Amino acid sequence: MRPPLPGPLADLAPLLHQYGYAAVAGLILLEDFGVPAPGETILVAAAVYAGAGHLNIFFVVLVALAAAIVGDNIGYVIGRVGGRRLIHRWGRYVLITPERFHTTERFFLRHGAKIVVIARFVEGLRQVNGLVAGTTGMPWRRFLVCNAIGAVLWVGVWAGAAYFAGKRIGAIYNMIGRYQNYAWIALGLAVAAVAAWHLVRHLRRRKA
């Protein structure tokens, strides 16, 4: 029996049950050329399942790497061929607004190829990474190398951490069940402390 996935990962359980590795490939591929899809979340969910023994972590990593690299290269081609005109006309339908695109473009122009590597770990940059690289005219070979490095790091970090958690998911659930009441109490105290601090600051300002 598969262990239940924690939190928001549970929403992806039906996809993993029905489509397995194809779900991982499809969602990562879509996310990586600009479509708002939960690519990173499906990678984490699949790696957790692999850790619990219901998927093969080698295939999860292999599929995720291939989808990430191919997806970003599709985005690169779209950006290189269609340019700003295409993105400005159709980008809003996949939540890529002109403002968001221009902000990302400025990052690329300022930091160059290194931004391609770290973009995978930044929400928003990850989805438009290839599009902006193509639009700004980054040489394809440089983009391919930097994108592949970023993909290896991204998949390695998330799949590795989630796989490790999946192998111990039973113990994690037991720990959560044992300490969740204490966690809620600690959270409540923290919220109360922050609220009291803001109240004291407000009163001091009014007095001053």
Side-chain angles (χ1 to χ4, degrees):
M1 182 179 178
R2 292 180 175 89
L5 288 170
L9 300 183
D11 296 333
L12 297 174
L15 280 175
L16 284 173
H17 293 168
Q18 187 166 356
Y19 300 107
Y21 304 108
V24 178
L27 290 180
I28 292 177
L29 184 75
L30 287 173
E31 184 187 52
D32 280 1
F33 65 87
V35 178
E40 189 169 85
T41 310
I42 195 74
L43 170 61
V44 172
V48 168
Y49 263 17
H54 300 291
L55 289 173
N56 186 306
I57 190 60
F58 174 78
F59 289 119
V60 170
V61 169
L62 190 64
V63 166
L65 274 175
I69 294 172
V70 171
D72 266 348
N73 276 273
I74 292 173
Y76 179 90
V77 171
I78 293 172
R80 195 65 181 262
V81 174
R84 294 176 182 81
R85 180 183 56 81
L86 182 64
I87 293 170
H88 286 178
R89 183 174 181 181
W90 302 105
R92 64 182 182 275
Y93 295 109
V94 290
L95 304 182
I96 302 175
T97 63
E99 294 78 13
R100 179 182 175 189
F101 180 79
H102 290 150
T103 300
T104 309
E105 191 175 40
R106 285 196 297 271
F107 265 87
F108 268 77
L109 293 174
R110 187 181 309 161
H111 299 288
K114 64 184 179 183
I115 198 67
V116 177
V117 177
I118 66 172
R120 289 204 164 273
F121 294 91
V122 182
E123 188 68 28
L125 284 180
R126 182 172 62 254
Q127 290 81 356
V128 297
N129 186 17
L131 289 169
V132 179
T135 303
T136 55
M138 178 179 289
W140 177 73
R141 288 184 180 178
R142 183 187 302 172
F143 172 76
L144 180 64
V145 171
C146 294
N147 178 51
I149 293 171
V152 169
L153 294 174
W154 179 70
V155 172
V157 168
W158 285 113
Y163 178 72
F164 178 82
K167 290 183 74 68
R168 292 156 180 78
I169 196 165
I172 291 171
Y173 281 142
N174 289 336
M175 185 179 297
I176 291 172
R178 187 179 304 169
Y179 296 110
Q180 65 179 350
N181 290 334
Y182 298 107
W184 282 115
I185 291 171
L187 179 61
L189 291 173
V191 170
V194 171
W197 180 69
H198 281 289
L199 179 61
V200 169
R201 285 188 63 190
H202 176 69
L203 293 174
R204 284 178 178 175
R205 286 177 181 174
R206 288 190 61 183
K207 187 176 181 180

